[in-house]
Amino acid sequence: MNKKVAIIGSGFGGLALAIRLQASGLDTVIFEKRDKPGGRAYFYEEEGFHFDAGPTVITAPHIFQELFDLTDKKMEDYIELIPIDPFYRLIWPDGEVFNYNSDMDALYSQIEKLNPKDVDGYKKFLKFSNAVFKEGYEKMVDHPFQSIWSMIKVAPQLILLQSFRSVYSMVSKYIKHPKLRQAFSYHTLLLGGSPYSSSAIYSLIHALEHKWGVWFSKGGTSALIAGLVRLYEDLGGTLHLNYEVKSIETNKNNEIHSIVNENGEEVEVSAVASNADIYHTYNDLLSDNKIAQRKTKILKRKKFSPSLFVLHFGLRKKHPQLAHHTILFGPRWKELLKDIYKNGVLPEDNALYLHAPSVTDSTMAPEGCSAYYALAVVPNLGKLDIDWSKEKDRYKNIIYQQLEDRCLPNLRDDLVVERVFTPIDFQKELNAYEGAAFSMEPLLIQSAYFRIHNSDQKIKGLYFTGAGTHPGAGVPGVVNSAKATARIMIEKLDHG
Ligand SMILES: Cc1cc2nc3c(=O)[nH]c(=O)nc-3n(C[C@H](O)[C@H](O)[C@H](O)COP(=O)(O)OP(=O)(O)OC[C@H]3O[C@@H](n4cnc5c(N)ncnc54)[C@H](O)[C@@H]3O)c2cc1C
């Protein structure tokens, strides 16, 4: 019997890779630790409330279309995406509201209200963002950077696009009003990066959202995951849930030959693509391999993203006045991010993201009720190793208070269900190093060639897909990482 290609983890990156490999004729199997697929895109169902655990902002829907295009299946038979407008509603502590949306005239008039001169500056920023999009997304996002030469080749474009500057600094070059500077630079936080240190390359997110819009998967992001799992299984792939891989076995030539699970069962494989955390893969799964252990030491010196405090709650009431996605900025910004990224301080005045899917999709909560999650970026466990089991109730109430003061008055009177996911849960449930929510930070010195490569050059048969490899975190990032990795794997395994 032919040995299968094993994929460890069923996050978006793992599923997208498995679909690509399976569609190319390779025989694959996914091993997933948890009881449901999706990784960070897991979900909870409680008393009729449906809570997506992770990604809610779906951009670049063509990345899914591309997967279906590899098969004879139609995307509309598997998933349904609904456009969201405004993309985001931004609210500041003084009550100022900015609806960031696709209607350019509406956008210009809101910018004009804050600072007339910034309309022109915004147009210049958009032009810059489009140029970065062309170079950074269209040419690099699904291109594996396996050698230093591949990096040197794109260096002139990177210099031209001033990628050595930060997103915030580029936005500030064009836009002067402090609120507008926040409005057009906070996006890197969705990928785990501070706007003050993430490369200006990431300003392409702005162009990407304008080009393809912001979408919600009907039934929640988990319905999108379910659609991808169905596609994968219809192609003949096998998904094993509740199956934690404990080790990846190599021979003395550093060739992978098998994986071993928690019960000691060994499965022979022709190759392994890890969608699991990169540090976990090298440190724990390859603990007997010297090359991997050297990699572990290098990884320890890298900067990992912050973690998240995620508060899910269901209310016995609807709030149709809310936008689907709201960002509630706090009183501080630069200093706040410094506390999270550098000082390892848990902020009492954090900015929040509020997800209110019930305003778009009534199936997310029982009749007359509504489902939410509030999310705060918090230091990872490497920066702040506190006892979250003790801290979580206090922090939860700080968040509830903020929400009650600013957009959901007396919400605690209407609570039906709630659940909290802290940095410790990222570490325990997802094997995330330091409880980081987005793997390594998206810094220029940790991007492309300088990120973990899509295939390991020394351990033969070891590949990566997902947030830790190129291009990085975020749903478009990890689905494109699968494209880059599939390219190398199909070439190697078909013809190698
Ligand atoms: C709360 C939150 C909100 C987010 N919001 C957005 C958003 O709105 N839009 C956006 O684009 N991005 C968002 N992101 C980022 C995005 O969700 C992630 O970057 C992306 O989903 C990560 O996918 P991945 O392929 O790297 O795999 P992951 O989702 O990290 O999945 C890895 C899988 O590997 C499994 N695994 C780990 N170790 C083992 C093992 N030893 N054996 C077997 N299985 C194992 C895990 O259980 C997990 O299922 C968000 C992230 C979080 C946490």
Side-chain angles (χ1 to χ4, degrees):
M1 203 174 83
N2 278 346
K3 285 186 259 173
K4 295 192 182 220
V5 176
I7 291 129
I8 303 175
S10 65
F12 269 110
L15 282 171
L17 178 65
I19 291 168
R20 282 185 175 274
L21 299 183
Q22 194 69 30
S24 81
L26 289 165
D27 201 5
T28 65
V29 55
I30 304 177
F31 297 109
E32 167 56 53
K33 171 189 176 200
R34 296 171 103 185
D35 62 340
K36 291 180 211 146
R40 271 132 173 108
Y42 191 82
F43 74 97
Y44 306 97
E45 206 110 56
E46 235 170 287
E47 296 189 35
F49 290 87
H50 184 104
F51 298 116
D52 276 319
T56 53
V57 181
I58 301 298
T59 51
H62 72 282
I63 55 177
F64 302 112
Q65 186 59 58
E66 280 183 2
L67 298 177
F68 286 89
D69 289 348
L70 297 170
T71 74
D72 59 354
K73 318 286 182 212
K74 289 199 190 103
M75 182 158 113
E76 57 271 28
D77 293 339
Y78 289 78
I79 53 184
E80 184 182 343
L81 297 176
I82 310 169
I84 299 296
D85 204 5
F87 293 166
Y88 309 88
R89 177 169 293 157
L90 314 179
I91 306 180
W92 283 271
D94 63 5
E96 180 98 44
V97 175
F98 188 93
N99 282 316
Y100 168 37
N101 57 15
S102 57
D103 176 344
M104 286 318 236
D105 289 334
L107 206 52
Y108 295 152
S109 72
Q110 291 181 85
I111 296 173
E112 191 165 22
K113 217 175 84 197
L114 284 168
N115 183 15
K117 282 193 185 145
D118 279 340
V119 174
D120 204 40
Y122 171 71
K123 287 179 184 165
K124 287 186 184 136
F125 169 66
L126 190 56
K127 206 168 150 198
F128 168 75
S129 175
N130 280 322
V132 182
F133 175 82
K134 279 206 164 59
E135 293 300 325
Y137 190 87
E138 289 181 349
K139 295 191 187 159
M140 296 182 205
V141 78
D142 54 9
H143 174 85
F145 285 84
Q146 297 291 105
S147 69
I148 190 71
W149 288 110
S150 59
M151 195 70 201
I152 290 169
K153 267 194 239 157
V154 298
Q157 287 105 297
L158 294 177
I159 292 167
L160 206 68
L161 296 168
Q162 304 187 53
S163 54
F164 46 86
R165 289 177 70 166
S166 73
V167 170
Y168 189 84
S169 124
M170 280 315 283
V171 169
S172 301
K173 180 178 161 187
Y174 298 113
I175 293 167
K176 303 299 164 211
H177 195 286
K179 284 181 181 160
L180 294 172
R181 285 178 171 178
Q182 273 178 287
F184 296 117
S185 67
Y186 71 86
H187 295 75
T188 56
L189 291 166
L190 299 175
L191 309 178
S194 161
Y196 290 94
S197 51
S198 302
S199 160
I201 288 240
Y202 292 97
S203 31
L204 69 80
I205 302 170
H206 194 72
L208 182 139
E209 285 177 348
H210 275 287
K211 188 173 166 72
W212 286 304
V214 169
W215 302 80
F216 178 68
S217 158
K218 183 152 173 48
T221 305
S222 59
L224 178 52
I225 289 290
L228 295 181
V229 169
R230 188 152 67 84
L231 172 65
Y232 172 61
E233 290 179 336
D234 286 350
L235 295 173
T238 311
L239 166 64
H240 289 291
L241 296 173
N242 300 306
Y243 194 114
E244 180 161 19
V245 175
K246 279 290 176 196
S247 72
I248 301 172
E249 300 296 318
T250 52
N251 62 20
K252 60 179 184 328
N253 297 325
N254 286 308
E255 291 160 342
I256 283 180
H257 60 81
S258 61
I259 57 120
V260 178
N261 75 6
E262 55 204 321
N263 304 322
E265 288 159 13
E266 187 165 3
V267 179
E268 285 194 24
V269 295
S270 58
V272 167
S274 179
N275 180 222
D277 183 89
I278 43 171
Y279 185 87
H280 167 64
T281 305
Y282 280 119
N283 189 55
D284 306 328
L285 303 186
L286 284 152
S287 58
D288 291 338
N289 185 287
K290 286 202 177 87
I291 294 171
Q293 291 314 301
R294 278 202 293 275
K295 219 32 168 272
T296 300
K297 287 198 185 105
I298 296 170
L299 278 175
K300 271 198 165 130
R301 295 198 291 269
K302 302 279 181 190
K303 282 197 173 149
F304 278 76
S305 85
S307 193
L308 296 170
F309 185 93
V310 192
L311 170 58
H312 290 96
F313 54 97
L315 302 182
R316 61 174 65 85
K317 197 170 161 184
K318 283 182 177 290
H319 286 277
Q321 78 284 2
L322 291 174
H324 189 119
H325 303 294
T326 302
I327 308 282
L328 294 162
F329 289 112
R332 300 182 299 146
W333 189 233
K334 189 173 183 180
E335 291 306 312
L336 172 81
L337 295 172
K338 205 168 161 191
D339 274 352
I340 297 167
Y341 280 82
K342 287 213 168 82
N343 303 337
V345 170
L346 183 62
E348 305 284 304
D349 57 352
N350 217 333
L352 299 178
Y353 159 69
L354 178 66
H355 184 224
S358 301
V359 299
T360 307
D361 184 349
S362 62
T363 66
M364 302 298 285
E367 182 77 39
C369 300
S370 48
Y372 303 87
Y373 86 53
L375 179 158
V377 182
V378 296
N380 66 34
L381 298 168
K383 288 256 178 292
L384 178 69
D385 195 6
I386 52 171
D387 185 348
W388 276 102
S389 64
K390 289 201 180 119
E391 193 63 30
K392 71 178 181 188
D393 277 344
R394 191 188 73 85
Y395 210 61
K396 175 188 80 180
N397 282 314
I398 290 178
I399 292 178
Y400 276 146
Q401 192 62 53
Q402 268 178 277
L403 295 173
E404 289 185 347
D405 292 346
R406 296 180 63 182
C407 58
L408 285 168
N410 306 317
L411 84 84
R412 276 174 282 191
D413 295 344
D414 298 321
L415 267 183
V416 183
V417 285
E418 65 171 18
R419 59 162 49 243
V420 173
F421 201 83
T422 75
I424 287 289
D425 300 310
F426 278 95
Q427 188 181 54
K428 286 196 179 141
E429 296 250 340
L430 289 150
N431 293 333
Y433 180 58
E434 295 184 337
F438 305 90
S439 190
M440 277 199 281
E441 256 188 72
L443 305 171
L444 188 62
I445 50 161
Q446 299 189 158
S447 297
Y449 176 73
F450 305 113
R451 219 168 171 79
I452 287 295
H453 296 173
N454 299 74
S455 84
D456 189 289
Q457 265 116 340
K458 293 192 178 140
I459 303 176
K460 293 176 202 81
L462 176 63
Y463 301 85
F464 289 94
T465 179
T469 189
H470 172 74
V475 176
V478 301
V479 174
N480 274 304
S481 79
K483 192 172 174 186
T485 306
R487 243 182 222 152
I488 316 174
M489 289 184 83
I490 291 168
E491 162 126 359
K492 186 83 190 157
L493 299 171
D494 266 2
H495 314 291

